[in-house]
């Protein structure tokens, strides 16, 4: 049984540990000197103040207003939690701000306000207009939310959108367009049944009508039954789509011959028999979360001709608002739109629908472990990890704003705008999530050699819960079980092995080690002793297929942890030097660094071999390596053994790997600054874009560089990724955090795949 207490604590720890909450404000200008501060505040700040006073539109030029959205709620309809109040809604609003930032580089202030009437809410938000470029309304109860949005759109001169309404409407509309095309149905002829009449359902209905669905072909149900004109309890909003029909009273009756079902209501309200009674080639959007109106597997088992979507990520066709709202606001902000109008919403719908029909980038296929996503019954809307959404949807929304006359800023060079959108987040923003998605698509057995450690066990629980890996724990069984009990870690049914006690595999493992090392002074007796060590035993499990990958090194130094795997597993054929690589996730994109953990002082040819391993590994992440060999010298500017070694290694690489994008020797700032490189060394093969792969002349420099960058550079380090062994083994840095361990397990699983 799942340990719900432990899961609750995980969520509480995530939000409370370190800096409380999930977001912070970071200065975007230098603040290191007295001059900087004088420019940032008094007296220098007076100059932009007066410019804005003279020309109010200059507020977009001199402040963050143009990239700042308010996420605002009064906490009256928070997720499935109901009316829990503004303070309790704050974690959700911070989370929404986080999504805006990571998907569209939009800054957010979340505002939770004590306002229980429409007038109170509207007055507060209106007063904030000078601060923000846009307003995202969130988790406001119906019917209040409809009037609040209507009033604010009328009375404010910046974009306002209630995502709970329009986000779902936009994504399901795109899905509906594509599903109808695949099922050969005309929008104006489909018979639509809707279960639910809340904010999202109402917005979906209104947008469907604008796209061509006919009101007379639609039947809507709320918690009190069918919405028809004979009812006396309907508000004006629901009365708009009430049917005059009185011959249909139940959902079961309505579903007979229906073409499309839209569910935004409750779990299990739709039965298998109802789905069977639908028209040929039915479309079912069962969007109740976490459990849909009908189980996905049940629905597709009773109708082979069905197209189905849910709100869940573990089934095809997930309807996820993150496909829309970040990019709709991105486009609206970039043209300084005064509103988000129907033309902009429909442009977003069509852009999302059209994107689905284009060839899918390989990185998306890799992220979801798919051979090739292709427009069809199981792929009617894009995946959230598709980086093209940023440029495609934002551009469509921006263009619609301009064409409909609500933009205050024109875009004349659309190619340049597309490029700006593509590079805005950096290529690393989704890289780790893509790797995690790929790992989850085909989990592997990972043996943890140091399982008598809380952090290892916590990481094992996380990768098990997330579906990344099946953990196997090595160590003293009683000690491990006691740690599990003491810390309430949920690792039921996980295999625990104590190599020290011996197992049925021990003799086979010892014989293998003896055969490999008998001419290196290891006797059979010594081999039997060695395989009682957890690192030897874990490596043997991987070698003999009892596990798919090994994780170790948290409590021992790198060299002693690596040695058993080298002796038991060995290197890949043709590999002369193994290497350690770090993936540094920076704001400018991922930067790969090597060798950072293994080779103290490699020769020029060693560097060639190491670079070859790193180059191949990076290509496995679907990234084209741009390699710089680093030194304290630029292209012969200084003499000495280190520059000479790097020059020779560069020449050998160009000779042995003619297709590799590589240059050196060069200083680190020139490698990372393409403009600096172009201005001073225009002949370099790295001109045009910065290097993303840095090769250091020795272990000392590489190790120092990544550790300094990790501590001072506000980057996340993933590694060390061990390259060159015949099977997946990854050695942790001593005292790695739980998050770092989870990242390394994820890499190990993808490696094993």
């Amino acid at each position: 049984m799942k340990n719900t207490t432990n899961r609750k604590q995980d969520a509480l720890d995530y939000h409370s540990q370190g800096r409380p909450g999930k977001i912070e404000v970071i200065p975007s200008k230098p603040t290191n000197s007295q001059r900087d501060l004088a420019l940032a505040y008094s007296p220098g700040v007076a100059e932009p103040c007066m410019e804005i006073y003279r020309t109010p539109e200059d507020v977009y030029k001199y402040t963050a207003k143009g990239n700042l959205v308010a996420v605002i709620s009064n906490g009256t309809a928070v997720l499935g939690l109901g009316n829990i109040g503004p303070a309790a809604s704050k974690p959700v609003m911070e989370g929404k701000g986080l999504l805006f930032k990571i998907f569209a580089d939009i800054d957010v202030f979340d505002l939770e306000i004590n306002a229980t009437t429409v007038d109170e809410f509207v007055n507060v938000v209106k007063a904030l207009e000078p601060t923000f470029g846009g307003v995202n309304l969130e988790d406001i109860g119906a019917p209040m939310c409809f009037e609040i949005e209507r009033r604010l759109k009328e009375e404010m001169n910046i974009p306002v959108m209630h995502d709970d309404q329009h986000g779902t409407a936009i994504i399901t509309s795109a899905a509906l367009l594509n599903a109808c095309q695949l099922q050969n149905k005309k929008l104006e002829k489909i018979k639509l049944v809707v279960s639910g009449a809340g904010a999202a359902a109402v917005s979906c209905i209104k947008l469907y009508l604008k796209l061509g669905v006919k009101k007379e072909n639609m039947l809507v149900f709320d918690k009190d039954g069918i919405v028809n004109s004979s009812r006396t309890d309907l508000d004006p909003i629901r009365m708009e789509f009430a049917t005059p029909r009185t011959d249909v009273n139940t959902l079961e009756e309505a579903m007979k011959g229906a073409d499309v079902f839209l569910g935004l209501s409750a779990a299990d309200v739709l039965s298998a028999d109802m789905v069977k009674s639908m028209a040929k080639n039915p479309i079912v959007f069962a969007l109740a979360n976490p459990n849909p109106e009908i189980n996905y597997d049940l629905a597709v088992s009773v109708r082979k001709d069905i197209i189905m979507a849910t709100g869940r990520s573990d089934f095809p066709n997930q309807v996820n608002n993150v496909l829309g709202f970040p990019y709709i606001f991105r486009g609206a902000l970039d043209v300084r739109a005064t509103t988000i109008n129907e033309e902009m919403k429909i442009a977003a719908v069509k852009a999302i629908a059209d994107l689905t029909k284009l060839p899918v980038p390989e990185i998306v296929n890799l992220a979801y472990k798919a051979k090739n996503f292709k427009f069809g019954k199981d792929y009617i809307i894009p995946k959230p990890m598709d980086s093209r959404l940023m440029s495609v949807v934002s551009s469509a929304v921006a263009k619609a704003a301009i064409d409909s006359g609500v933009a205050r800023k024109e875009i004349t060079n659309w190619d340049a705008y597309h490029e700006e959108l593509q590079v805005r987040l950096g290529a690393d923003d989704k890289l780790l999530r893509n790797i995690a998605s790929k790992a989850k698509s085909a989990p592997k057995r990972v043996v943890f050699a140091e399982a008598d450690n809380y952090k290892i066990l916590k990481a094992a629980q996380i990768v098990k819960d997330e579906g990344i890996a099946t953990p196997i724990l090595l160590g003293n069984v009683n000690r491990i079980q006691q740690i599990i009990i003491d810390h309430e870690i949920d690792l039921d049914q996980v295999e625990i092995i104590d190599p020290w006690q011996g197992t049925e595999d021990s003799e086979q493992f010892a014989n293998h080690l003896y055969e490999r090392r008998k001419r290196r002074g290891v006797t059979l007796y010594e081999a039997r002793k060695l395989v009682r060590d957890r690192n030897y035993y874990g490596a043997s499990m991987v070698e003999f297929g009892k596990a798919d990958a090994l994780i170790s090194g948290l409590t021992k130094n790198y060299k002693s942890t690596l040695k058993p795997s080298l002796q038991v597993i060995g290197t890949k054929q043709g590999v002369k030097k193994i290497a350690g690589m770090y993936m540094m996730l920076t704001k400018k994109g991922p930067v790969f660094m090597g060798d950072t953990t293994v080779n103290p002082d490699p020769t020029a040819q060693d560097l060639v071999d190491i670079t070859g391993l790193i180059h191949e590994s990076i290509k496995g992440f679907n990234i084209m390596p741009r390699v710089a060999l680093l030194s304290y010298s630029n292209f012969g500017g200084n003499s000495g053994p280190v520059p000479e070694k790097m020059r020779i290694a560069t020449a050998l690489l160009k000779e042995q790997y003619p297709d590799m994008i590589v240059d050196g020797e060069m200083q680190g700032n020139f490698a990372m600054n393409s403009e600096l490189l172009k201005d001073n060394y225009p002949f370099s093969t790295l001109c045009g874009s910065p290097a993303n792969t840095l090769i250091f002349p020795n272990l000392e420099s590489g190790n120092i560089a990544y550790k300094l960058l990790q501590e001072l550079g506000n980057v996340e380090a993933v590694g060390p990724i061990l390259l060159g062994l015949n099977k997946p083994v990854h050695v942790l840095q001593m005292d790695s955090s739980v998050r770092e361990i989870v990242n390394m397990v994820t890499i190990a699983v993808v490696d094993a795949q």
Side-chain angles (χ1 to χ4, degrees):
M1 186 176 70
K2 293 291 185 184
N3 187 333
T4 54
T5 301
N6 192 42
R7 301 302 186 283
K8 175 182 176 181
Q9 193 58 48
D10 286 348
L12 295 176
D13 289 346
Y14 175 87
H15 287 83
S16 65
Q17 289 180 352
R19 180 190 290 269
K22 299 187 286 286
I23 56 177
E24 65 176 323
V25 176
I26 299 174
S28 59
K29 297 293 190 293
T31 57
N32 298 321
S33 67
Q34 181 58 38
R35 179 178 182 275
D36 291 336
L37 297 179
L39 292 171
Y41 196 55
S42 180
V45 74
E47 298 304 328
C49 288
M50 293 310 298
E51 290 296 316
I52 295 167
Y53 176 73
R54 286 187 285 268
T55 309
E57 192 70 7
D58 278 355
V59 68
Y60 289 96
K61 180 177 180 181
Y62 294 112
T63 77
K65 177 183 173 79
N67 197 52
L68 187 61
V69 165
V71 172
I72 305 181
S73 180
N74 62 359
T76 52
V78 180
L79 301 177
L81 305 174
N83 185 355
I84 61 175
S89 76
K90 187 171 178 64
V92 179
M93 302 312 121
E94 286 187 355
K96 193 63 176 278
L98 184 149
L99 295 178
F100 267 111
K101 187 63 178 178
I102 66 175
F103 282 102
D105 192 29
I106 292 173
D107 298 316
V108 164
F109 290 159
D110 62 288
L111 301 172
E112 297 74 33
I113 59 177
N114 279 313
T116 56
T117 69
V118 171
D119 285 341
E120 286 178 327
F121 197 109
V122 169
N123 289 338
V124 170
V125 177
K126 277 180 58 181
L128 295 168
E129 182 171 347
T131 302
F132 296 101
V135 171
N136 181 95
L137 302 173
E138 194 78 15
D139 290 354
I140 305 166
M144 179 191 296
C145 62
F146 301 116
E147 181 64 10
I148 285 174
E149 188 191 44
R150 185 192 68 78
R151 288 264 309 270
L152 290 175
K153 287 173 74 74
E154 283 184 359
E155 299 174 29
M156 296 182 77
N157 207 33
I158 57 175
V160 176
M161 188 173 85
H162 185 207
D163 184 50
D164 296 330
Q165 295 182 57
H166 305 297
T168 302
I170 289 164
I171 309 309
T172 61
S173 292
L176 182 64
L177 289 178
N178 283 342
C180 285
Q181 178 181 334
L182 290 164
Q183 300 289 59
N184 197 26
K185 294 179 184 287
K186 303 287 186 183
L187 283 176
E188 62 272 17
K189 293 183 178 181
I190 61 170
K191 295 179 180 178
L192 171 68
V193 176
V194 181
S195 176
V202 168
S203 188
C204 287
I205 291 166
K206 289 182 176 180
L207 195 51
Y208 292 0
L209 293 173
K210 289 184 181 296
L211 290 170
V213 176
K214 300 299 182 183
K215 179 180 174 182
E216 58 267 24
N217 294 336
M218 179 173 59
L219 296 173
V220 180
F221 290 79
D222 64 11
K223 61 183 178 59
D224 297 314
I226 189 166
V227 177
N228 63 27
S229 51
S230 66
R231 282 176 55 176
T232 59
D233 61 336
L234 298 179
D235 54 58
I237 293 168
R238 284 181 293 170
M239 187 59 76
E240 286 184 31
F241 47 80
T243 180
R245 292 177 60 179
T246 58
D247 57 317
V248 176
N249 293 296
T250 67
L251 184 61
E252 183 177 10
E253 293 170 343
M255 290 299 292
K256 293 177 181 177
D259 295 290
V260 179
F261 171 82
L262 170 65
L264 286 157
S265 52
D268 303 323
V269 300
L270 193 65
S271 69
D273 287 338
M274 293 181 197
V275 174
K276 286 180 182 178
S277 73
M278 294 179 73
K280 183 181 179 182
N281 298 328
I283 299 166
V284 173
F285 295 165
L287 306 181
N289 255 327
N291 299 313
E293 283 78 3
I294 184 171
N295 177 271
Y296 178 90
D297 293 329
L298 175 60
V300 298
S301 71
V302 298
R303 289 297 296 261
K304 302 301 181 186
D305 58 345
I306 195 173
I307 288 181
M308 187 168 175
T310 71
R312 295 177 57 126
S313 61
D314 50 349
F315 297 121
N317 302 322
Q318 182 196 15
V319 174
N320 190 331
N321 285 13
V322 81
L323 294 172
F325 72 82
Y327 315 115
I328 293 167
F329 272 95
R330 178 77 273 155
L333 291 174
D334 288 343
V335 295
R336 299 179 193 166
T338 58
T339 186
I340 294 174
N341 58 24
E342 295 304 307
E343 291 88 345
M344 295 160 74
K345 295 176 196 170
I346 290 173
V349 168
K350 293 181 177 179
I352 294 168
D354 291 344
L355 179 61
T356 319
K357 301 167 190 175
L358 299 177
V360 176
E362 184 59 20
I363 193 167
V364 178
N365 291 319
L366 289 171
Y368 294 91
K369 195 61 178 177
K371 289 186 178 178
N372 185 24
F373 282 119
K374 187 177 181 181
F375 179 54
K377 292 173 64 173
D378 290 336
Y379 182 67
I380 60 171
I381 44 176
K383 296 292 184 181
M385 297 295 184
D386 195 329
S387 61
R388 299 173 300 170
L389 286 160
M390 176 78 147
S391 60
V392 171
V393 180
S394 300
S395 297
V397 170
K399 190 173 189 305
I402 293 171
D403 292 344
S404 61
V406 299
R408 289 174 290 190
K409 178 184 175 183
E410 291 282 332
I411 294 176
T412 55
N413 188 336
W414 289 97
D415 289 338
Y417 180 56
H418 291 164
E419 179 66 20
E420 175 192 330
L421 292 171
Q422 286 285 6
V423 303
R424 190 162 193 132
L425 292 175
D428 72 297
D429 184 65
K430 297 176 183 175
L431 177 60
L432 206 53
R433 284 173 296 186
N434 286 341
I435 294 170
S437 295
K438 184 178 180 183
K440 292 176 186 179
S441 68
K444 298 296 181 182
R445 300 161 300 169
V446 176
V447 58
F448 293 81
E450 300 161 300
D452 53 355
N453 181 284
Y454 164 74
K455 288 197 286 188
I456 290 291
L457 292 175
K458 188 64 181 176
Q461 177 207 296
I462 292 171
V463 298
K464 174 177 172 282
D465 288 350
E466 294 292 320
I468 292 170
T470 300
I472 302 170
L473 309 177
L474 300 187
N476 182 279
V477 176
N478 292 333
R479 190 178 303 138
I480 292 170
Q481 289 177 337
Q482 191 60 51
I483 297 172
I484 289 172
I485 292 169
D486 290 345
H487 294 276
E488 296 184 309
I489 300 172
D490 182 8
L491 285 169
D492 290 347
Q493 310 303 316
V494 169
E495 185 178 10
I496 305 175
I497 300 171
D498 186 354
W500 188 256
Q501 299 299 323
T503 72
E504 62 182 18
D505 296 317
S506 295
E507 189 64 19
Q508 183 185 27
F509 293 170
N511 286 329
H512 172 75
L513 179 60
Y514 168 67
E515 288 298 324
R516 285 185 60 90
R517 304 298 297 175
K518 63 186 179 183
R519 293 189 177 274
R520 291 291 188 271
V522 175
T523 67
L524 182 57
Y525 173 78
E526 288 172 321
R528 287 172 177 151
K529 285 178 62 178
L530 286 171
V531 297
R532 296 170 71 185
D533 175 89
R534 287 176 289 175
N535 284 311
Y536 277 97
Y537 191 92
S540 299
M541 289 185 72
V542 175
E543 175 65 14
F544 280 88
K546 306 289 183 179
D548 301 301
L550 169 66
I551 293 290
S552 188
L554 186 69
T555 60
K556 291 186 176 182
N557 68 62
Y558 198 92
K559 185 176 180 180
S560 63
T561 306
L562 180 57
K563 181 180 177 182
S565 293
L566 281 169
Q567 293 184 356
V568 172
I569 295 173
T571 59
K572 291 179 180 179
Q573 187 173 1
V575 170
K576 300 173 184 176
K577 286 283 181 181
I578 62 171
M581 176 182 76
Y582 263 89
M583 178 166 63
M584 312 299 288
L585 302 181
T586 79
K587 287 186 176 181
K588 294 184 177 181
V591 177
F592 300 88
M593 305 173 74
D595 176 9
T596 53
T597 55
V598 179
N599 299 287
D601 190 17
T603 66
Q605 184 57 54
D606 290 341
L607 287 169
V608 171
D609 297 336
I610 290 166
T611 305
L613 281 175
I614 291 173
H615 186 269
E616 193 65 25
S617 176
I618 296 169
K619 287 172 64 180
F621 295 122
N622 206 41
I623 294 173
M624 179 54 67
R626 296 176 57 82
V627 185
L629 275 72
L630 301 184
S631 177
Y632 57 81
S633 170
N634 284 314
F635 305 107
N638 288 284
S639 59
V642 169
E644 183 65 22
K645 177 170 70 172
M646 302 310 277
R647 281 196 291 272
I648 294 172
T650 301
L652 290 172
L653 281 166
K654 290 185 175 183
E655 177 184 326
Q656 297 175 28
Y657 296 90
D659 295 329
M660 185 183 292
I661 303 172
V662 59
D663 214 343
E665 90 286 9
M666 65 175 65
Q667 296 171 352
N669 58 331
F670 284 88
M672 301 308 299
N673 188 328
S674 57
E675 290 300 317
L676 187 66
L677 185 66
K678 182 180 177 181
D679 289 345
N680 291 274
Y681 305 102
F683 56 82
S684 174
T685 54
L686 291 176
C687 283
S689 295
N692 60 12
T693 306
L694 306 179
I695 306 298
F696 293 89
N698 50 45
L699 179 61
E700 181 180 42
S701 58
N703 196 269
I704 290 171
Y706 96 77
K707 288 183 175 178
L708 283 175
L709 188 59
Q710 184 179 13
E711 290 299 319
L712 302 177
N714 192 28
V715 302
E716 182 169 3
V718 180
I721 301 170
L722 189 59
L723 308 175
L725 282 177
N726 200 35
K727 294 189 177 178
V729 173
H730 291 288
V731 180
L732 303 168
Q733 286 292 293
M734 290 183 69
D735 206 35
S736 296
S737 68
V738 172
R739 178 178 175 83
E740 289 167 338
I741 298 168
V742 171
N743 285 342
M744 283 313 305
V745 174
T746 306
I747 295 287
V749 170
V750 173
D751 194 4
Q753 289 172 347

